[in-house]
Amino acid sequence: MTRTNAELLADRARLMGPNVSTFYEDPLHIVKGEGVWLWDADGRKYLDCYNNVPHVGHCNPRVVDAICEQARTLNTHTRYLHEGILAYIERLTGTMDASLDTAILTCTGSEANDIALRMAEAVTGKRGIIATDATYHGNTSLVSQLSKSNIPTVGFGLGQYFRFVDAPDSYRNPDPDGTIFAAQVADQIEALNEDDTGFAALVVCPYFLNEGFPDHPNGWLKPTAEVVRKAGGVLICDEVQSGFGRTGTHMWAHEKMGVVPDVMVLGKPMGNGHPIGGVVSRGEIVAEFRKGYRYFNTFGGNPVSCAAAMAVLEEIEDKDLVSNALAVGKHARMRMNQLAKKHEVIGDVRGSGLIFGAEMVTDRTTKTPASEFTDRVINAMRHRGIVLSKLGRYKNALKIRPPMPFSIQNADLLFDTLDEVVSETPVHL
Amino acid sequence: MTRTNAELLADRARLMGPNVSTFYEDPLHIVKGEGVWLWDADGRKYLDCYNNVPHVGHCNPRVVDAICEQARTLNTHTRYLHEGILAYIERLTGTMDASLDTAILTCTGSEANDIALRMAEAVTGKRGIIATDATYHGNTSLVSQLSKSNIPTVGFGLGQYFRFVDAPDSYRNPDPDGTIFAAQVADQIEALNEDDTGFAALVVCPYFLNEGFPDHPNGWLKPTAEVVRKAGGVLICDEVQSGFGRTGTHMWAHEKMGVVPDVMVLGKPMGNGHPIGGVVSRGEIVAEFRKGYRYFNTFGGNPVSCAAAMAVLEEIEDKDLVSNALAVGKHARMRMNQLAKKHEVIGDVRGSGLIFGAEMVTDRTTKTPASEFTDRVINAMRHRGIVLSKLGRYKNALKIRPPMPFSIQNADLLFDTLDEVVSETPVHL
C-alpha cells in the first residue's frame, strides 16, 4: 500500500516536524535508482542531472557489492585493528599532494568540518573563521554558523567567531585574478585581529559550488592563500562537492585553483551515499588537534564505510570517470553555449566537468535575474523527466551536477529537452 | 598479504595520527564477526561480551539483507519523499511514551546530542548544560564539552556553558532514592542562574552506563526530573547505550528510572553498526528548534539507514531480545553473585539485563579499587578468548555489555572462564 504524496507530506509534517525541505513544491516520491536514472512510485523515469552523492551512479554494483560483502563479514570500530581503513587512507591520500598524508574519518562532512575548524583553532590558538556569504558547510552547532543564508536561531553564541566575505561572482563582479577576493579576506582578517578573536581559518569550497561556481581561471585562489598564510591562518578547502574528479580537470578542485590546503574536508560522494566523511591534513596538524584529545567516532572509518569508499575510488579509476567528466563537461558547455546563442534569457554559461549551468536573466545588459523563470524551467524539466536544480544568490542559475557516469547521450537528452523547455517557457508571466 | 599487528600499528600512527585509541596494549586484529562471536586474523575465536553496536548480533542476517536489498534499490536523501523514514519513525516512536512523537534522524549519536543541546537552548533561551563528571556523549565541538574526563584542548570557548555533578556511585556513596543527586543538580542550576548563563538542560544516560551503571531502584530519576522541570529546564536522556532493551526490564532505561525525557538521543545500536542516530522529542520542541532553521542531514534518514534501523527493531521484537536480556541478565547476576561469594576481590555486583559487571577492590572494607588487577583480568580473559572491558572512575569495574542475542550458555562460558581467571590472577603483583 503506497501512500499518496499528500499522505506522505502529512506524515512527514507529523513525524519529522516543520521546515523539512523537499525538492519541488509537489515533491517527487522516488523509489528506485540506477546509474544516472531515478524512478518515482508511478514508474516514471527521470534523468538525474542533480545528485552528486551517488557519485559513481545510483546503486553502483561495485559499491553495493563491497558494502554487502563487508557487512556480511564484519562491521566494527577502529579500536580493533583493521586493514580496510589503512588501505583506504593510503589510497585516498595517494591522490593528493604529499603533504596531505593523515586522515580522520567521520560519518558526515559536517562532522569533518567541525574537526577542521577545531584543527585551525588548535594550530593558531585563535577562533576567527572566514567564509563567503553564500555557502554551506554543514549542520553542527559550530559548522552551521558558516551558512550566512540560514544561520540557526540557536547555536551557543558561536556566531561571534564568524566573518563573511562577498561570494565571488564572475558574471556581475569580475575578479579575474582573484585579488579582489584576497583583499576582502585580508580586510576580514584585519577586523578579526582588531577585536580579541584573531584569525584561525578561511573555509572555502575551492570551486565555489554553492556560490554558483563562478568562472575562474586556474590558479585563482593563489593570492587568497598567500594572504591567509601571511596572516598565520589555516586554509581549509571543503571538497565535499568539488572533489573526487567532479570538475573533470583535476581530482581535487584546489589543484585547479593553484593551492594546497592545510586541511581538506570530504563528505557526500565519498561512499556513494553510505555515510562517510573525512578530514585530510598534514601529520603535524592532526597531531596538534589530537594532542591530549582522543577523538573517537564510533562508526567513522568502520570496515563497511571504508569498503564503500574504496569501491568509489576504484570505480572512478577503472571507469576513468574524471576523463569522462572532462569530455562530457566540454560537450555540455558547448551545447549550453549554443543554447545561449539562441535564447537571450541565458546570460552566462559556466562550469567545468560535471558541474555546469547557466545564469538566467531577463535582460543581458542589466543582468536582471530571471529567478521565477528559472523556477518554471526547473519545474517544466521535471515534468519532462529531467531532474536538476538552481542556485546562486538570486536563485537564477541552473545547477547541473549529475552522477559521474553521465554520458554525452545523457547530456544531449538534457540539452534537447532544455532547448524545448526554454523555448516554450515565457520569460515573463 | 596480511600485515602484522606491529605493521598495522605503525601504519595507523602514520595515516591516522596520534592518540587513536585501541583496546588492549597489543590490540586485536579482528577480521570476522557473527552473532556474539569475533575472529582475529589468526583464526582465533572470541566471545564478544563487550560490543553493543552490533545490538542484534554481528553481521545479523536480517539487518545485512535489509541493507543490501535497499542499497541495490535506492539510496537517496530526504528531499525526495520516501516511505522508509516515515515507517521507521512511526514504529520507533510507537515504542515510547505518546509525547515522544517526532524525530530528526542523523548519522551519529554525536550529531543527535548536538541537536538535543540546541533544542534545549531553543526552548529555554538559556545555554547552561549540566552532566555528570564521568560521562561521554560524543565528539562535536559542542558535545565533546560534556566529557569532563577528556575535554578537548580546543572547542571555541564552549566549556563556559557546562557544569558537572558527581557521577552517582551506589557502592561508595549510596543515594538510594536519588535525592542527593537531585540536590546536586539543583545546586548547579542555582550556580548557572547566578551568572549570566542560565539553565538549559540536564543530559544523562538514564542508566548511567559510563559512570559504572550504579545500582539504582526503579524510579530513581524522579526527584531529579522534578528539579529540572521546576527550574524550567529540559531533561535530555541519552539512550545511546541504555536503550533498545539493553536493561532487559524496559525498552528504554528512562522508563525504568521513572521519567519521560523532553528530548531523547539515540545512536550506536540503532542500525547495528550502520551509521544512524536520532533525536526524538515532542512536536513543539522539534518545531522550536526548526523555527526558521532548515536543518538537513544529507545521509540522515536515508533509505538504507532506515532499512537497517527497521530491521533492528523487527529483530528485537521477533526474537524477543528484551526478554532474553532480562533472563540472561538475571542468570549473569546470579553467577556474578556466586563468584563474589568465592572471591573477596569482587566488591560489588551490579547491572540489569545485558549490561552487568562487578567492581574489583583489594579490600572490601576500605573499598580500595583494584584497578591494576582489573586490567590483568581483562587481558587474561582476552587470552582465553573472551572480550570485555572496564569502566568507572577508578577503571576497576568490569563492563560486560554483549550483543543482545547473548545466551545462558554464553554467560556460563564467560563466568566459568572468569572464575578461573580471577582464581589465577594475583590481586597484588
Side-chain angles (χ1 to χ4, degrees):
Chain A
M1 265 288 291
T2 303
R3 283 175 259 210
T4 65
N5 277 16
E7 286 164 346
L8 288 166
L9 282 166
D11 284 343
R12 278 169 69 104
R14 177 170 60 87
L15 296 163
M16 298 165 68
N19 278 328
V20 180
S21 296
T22 55
F23 289 140
Y24 310 107
E25 274 187 38
D26 174 23
L28 290 169
H29 176 190
I30 299 293
V31 297
K32 189 181 144 187
E34 193 184 311
V36 297
W37 300 97
L38 289 169
W39 284 261
D40 71 13
D42 298 326
R44 174 116 201 233
K45 192 175 172 183
Y46 297 86
L47 178 65
D48 186 355
C49 301
Y50 175 78
N51 287 292
N52 63 328
V53 175
H55 195 65
V56 294
H58 288 281
C59 305
N60 180 287
R62 185 197 293 257
V63 179
V64 173
D65 288 350
I67 289 171
C68 295
E69 197 191 321
Q70 189 59 53
R72 275 203 189 91
T73 308
L74 178 75
N75 195 19
T76 183
H77 48 74
T78 55
R79 282 176 168 154
Y80 302 122
L81 307 180
H82 197 264
E83 304 251 358
I85 187 169
L86 300 170
Y88 178 67
I89 296 177
E90 192 130 49
R91 183 146 181 176
L92 176 72
T93 55
T95 68
M96 300 170 188
D97 185 86
S99 66
L100 298 166
D101 57 4
T102 311
I104 297 177
L105 299 186
T106 63
C107 298
T108 64
S110 294
E111 288 187 334
N113 270 308
D114 199 296
I115 291 171
L117 297 187
R118 280 181 282 172
M119 283 180 170
E121 188 189 1
V123 296
T124 64
K126 313 285 187 208
R127 292 178 184 154
I129 308 291
I130 299 172
T132 83
D133 62 0
T135 189
Y136 176 79
H137 297 281
N139 58 35
T140 68
S141 296
L142 183 66
V143 166
S144 57
Q145 304 294 331
L146 288 162
S147 304
K148 201 183 175 185
S149 52
N150 187 18
I151 293 182
T153 44
V154 290
F156 288 82
L158 287 162
Q160 65 182 300
Y161 303 121
F162 292 78
R163 297 286 183 283
F164 300 94
V165 293
D166 295 341
D169 180 343
S170 56
Y171 181 46
R172 288 187 171 74
N173 297 297
D175 175 14
D177 58 3
T179 50
I180 299 173
F181 187 75
Q184 275 209 40
V185 170
D187 287 349
Q188 290 306 317
I189 292 173
E190 208 185 310
L192 285 165
N193 284 333
E194 273 169 18
D195 59 35
D196 277 349
T197 313
F199 174 52
L202 171 72
V203 188
V204 286
C205 165
Y207 202 62
F208 297 94
L209 258 89
N210 283 315
E211 293 86 341
F213 47 93
D215 228 342
H216 292 151
N218 286 2
W220 190 86
L221 273 176
K222 278 183 186 174
T224 299
E226 218 168 279
V227 162
V228 169
R229 262 76 185 245
K230 209 175 137 196
V234 169
L235 178 63
I236 300 173
C237 282
D238 180 337
E239 293 259 13
V240 165
Q241 288 192 84
S242 59
F244 292 101
R246 169 67 51 190
T247 62
T249 57
H250 298 78
M251 183 69 169
W252 308 107
H254 65 257
E255 302 171 282
K256 190 179 183 70
M257 290 298 118
V259 299
V260 178
D262 301 296
V263 180
M264 187 173 155
V265 172
L266 301 172
K268 297 188 202 294
M270 197 172 181
N272 215 47
H274 188 92
I276 178 167
V279 189
V280 184
S281 187
R282 298 196 296 276
E284 73 266 23
I285 294 179
V286 174
E288 195 61 37
F289 168 68
R290 299 192 72 102
K291 191 189 273 181
Y293 177 52
R294 305 180 84 79
Y295 178 92
F296 172 69
N297 190 310
T298 299
F299 307 128
N302 75 24
V304 174
S305 301
C306 290
M310 186 64 112
V312 169
L313 284 185
E314 286 170 354
E315 189 76 354
I316 290 171
E317 196 173 295
D318 285 8
K319 301 276 170 70
D320 208 1
L321 291 177
V322 187
S323 303
N324 182 67
L326 187 67
V328 179
K330 268 185 185 156
H331 180 75
R333 196 152 168 160
M334 181 270 289
R335 291 235 29 197
M336 191 71 98
N337 279 322
Q338 285 174 348
L339 282 197
K341 275 180 197 135
K342 186 173 166 189
H343 303 286
E344 274 283 311
V345 73
I346 299 177
D348 191 43
V349 173
R350 296 199 294 268
S352 176
L354 287 174
I355 170 68
F356 55 90
E359 196 159 324
M360 304 297 188
V361 292
T362 56
D363 183 315
R364 285 192 179 180
T365 318
T366 59
K367 298 178 180 172
T368 309
S371 307
E372 278 175 65
F373 169 80
T374 307
D375 223 37
R376 292 197 297 275
V377 166
I378 288 164
N379 276 298
M381 290 294 283
R382 170 249 173 107
H383 290 292
R384 302 268 197 135
I386 294 184
V387 169
L388 44 76
S389 190
K390 65 193 167 178
L391 87 183
R393 196 185 296 274
Y394 312 102
K395 304 281 176 215
N396 69 323
L398 293 179
K399 178 183 184 184
I400 304 171
R401 190 191 55 176
M404 294 280 279
F406 201 74
S407 68
I408 300 272
Q409 290 84 340
N410 298 148
D412 282 338
L413 173 59
L414 161 65
F415 284 103
D416 292 348
T417 312
L418 188 61
D419 189 8
E420 288 169 26
V421 163
V422 171
S423 302
E424 292 165 9
T425 307
V427 173
H428 300 280
L429 267 192
Chain B
M1 264 288 290
T2 303
R3 284 175 258 209
T4 65
N5 276 17
E7 287 165 346
L8 288 166
L9 281 166
D11 284 344
R12 278 169 69 104
R14 176 170 61 86
L15 296 164
M16 297 164 69
N19 277 328
V20 180
S21 296
T22 56
F23 290 141
Y24 311 106
E25 273 187 38
D26 175 24
L28 290 169
H29 176 190
I30 299 293
V31 297
K32 188 181 144 187
E34 193 184 310
V36 296
W37 299 97
L38 289 169
W39 284 261
D40 72 14
D42 297 326
R44 175 116 201 235
K45 192 175 172 184
Y46 298 84
L47 178 64
D48 186 355
C49 301
Y50 175 77
N51 287 292
N52 63 327
V53 175
H55 194 66
V56 295
H58 288 281
C59 305
N60 179 288
R62 185 199 293 255
V63 178
V64 173
D65 288 351
I67 289 171
C68 295
E69 197 191 321
Q70 188 58 52
R72 276 203 189 91
T73 308
L74 178 74
N75 195 20
T76 184
H77 47 74
T78 54
R79 281 174 167 156
Y80 303 122
L81 307 180
H82 197 265
E83 304 251 358
I85 188 169
L86 301 170
Y88 178 67
I89 296 178
E90 193 130 47
R91 182 147 180 174
L92 176 71
T93 55
T95 68
M96 299 169 188
D97 185 86
S99 65
L100 298 165
D101 57 4
T102 310
I104 297 178
L105 299 186
T106 64
C107 297
T108 64
S110 294
E111 289 188 333
N113 270 308
D114 200 296
I115 291 171
L117 298 187
R118 280 181 281 172
M119 282 180 171
E121 188 189 1
V123 295
T124 63
K126 313 287 187 206
R127 291 178 185 156
I129 307 290
I130 299 172
T132 83
D133 62 0
T135 188
Y136 176 80
H137 297 282
N139 58 34
T140 68
S141 296
L142 183 66
V143 166
S144 55
Q145 304 294 332
L146 288 162
S147 305
K148 201 182 176 186
S149 53
N150 187 17
I151 292 181
T153 45
V154 290
F156 289 82
L158 287 163
Q160 65 182 300
Y161 304 121
F162 292 78
R163 297 287 183 282
F164 298 94
V165 293
D166 294 341
D169 180 343
S170 56
Y171 180 46
R172 287 188 174 72
N173 297 297
D175 175 15
D177 59 2
T179 50
I180 300 174
F181 187 75
Q184 276 208 41
V185 170
D187 286 349
Q188 291 306 317
I189 292 173
E190 208 185 310
L192 285 166
N193 282 334
E194 272 169 18
D195 60 35
D196 276 350
T197 313
F199 173 53
L202 170 73
V203 188
V204 285
C205 165
Y207 201 63
F208 297 95
L209 258 89
N210 284 314
E211 293 86 341
F213 45 93
D215 228 343
H216 291 151
N218 285 2
W220 189 87
L221 273 175
K222 277 184 186 173
T224 300
E226 219 168 279
V227 162
V228 169
R229 262 76 185 245
K230 210 175 137 196
V234 168
L235 178 63
I236 300 173
C237 282
D238 180 338
E239 293 259 14
V240 165
Q241 290 192 83
S242 58
F244 291 101
R246 170 65 54 189
T247 62
T249 56
H250 299 78
M251 182 70 168
W252 308 106
H254 65 258
E255 302 171 283
K256 190 179 183 68
M257 290 298 118
V259 299
V260 178
D262 301 297
V263 180
M264 188 174 156
V265 171
L266 301 172
K268 297 190 201 294
M270 196 171 181
N272 215 45
H274 188 92
I276 178 168
V279 190
V280 183
S281 186
R282 297 196 296 276
E284 73 265 23
I285 294 179
V286 174
E288 196 60 37
F289 168 69
R290 299 191 71 101
K291 192 191 270 181
Y293 177 52
R294 305 179 85 79
Y295 178 92
F296 173 69
N297 189 311
T298 299
F299 306 129
N302 75 24
V304 174
S305 301
C306 290
M310 185 65 112
V312 169
L313 283 185
E314 287 169 354
E315 190 74 353
I316 290 171
E317 196 173 294
D318 285 9
K319 301 277 171 70
D320 207 1
L321 291 176
V322 187
S323 302
N324 182 66
L326 186 66
V328 179
K330 268 185 187 159
H331 179 75
R333 197 153 167 161
M334 181 269 290
R335 291 234 31 195
M336 191 70 98
N337 279 323
Q338 284 174 347
L339 282 197
K341 275 181 197 136
K342 186 173 167 190
H343 302 286
E344 273 285 309
V345 74
I346 299 178
D348 191 43
V349 174
R350 296 198 293 268
S352 176
L354 287 174
I355 170 66
F356 54 91
E359 196 159 323
M360 304 297 188
V361 292
T362 57
D363 182 316
R364 285 193 179 179
T365 318
T366 60
K367 298 179 181 172
T368 309
S371 308
E372 278 175 65
F373 170 80
T374 307
D375 223 36
R376 291 198 298 276
V377 166
I378 288 164
N379 277 297
M381 290 294 283
R382 170 249 172 106
H383 290 293
R384 301 267 197 136
I386 294 186
V387 170
L388 45 76
S389 191
K390 64 192 167 179
L391 86 181
R393 195 186 297 272
Y394 312 102
K395 303 281 176 217
N396 69 322
L398 293 179
K399 178 183 183 184
I400 304 172
R401 190 192 53 177
M404 294 280 278
F406 202 72
S407 67
I408 299 273
Q409 290 84 342
N410 297 149
D412 282 337
L413 173 59
L414 161 65
F415 282 104
D416 292 348
T417 313
L418 188 61
D419 189 8
E420 288 169 24
V421 163
V422 171
S423 301
E424 291 164 11
T425 306
V427 173
H428 299 280
L429 268 193

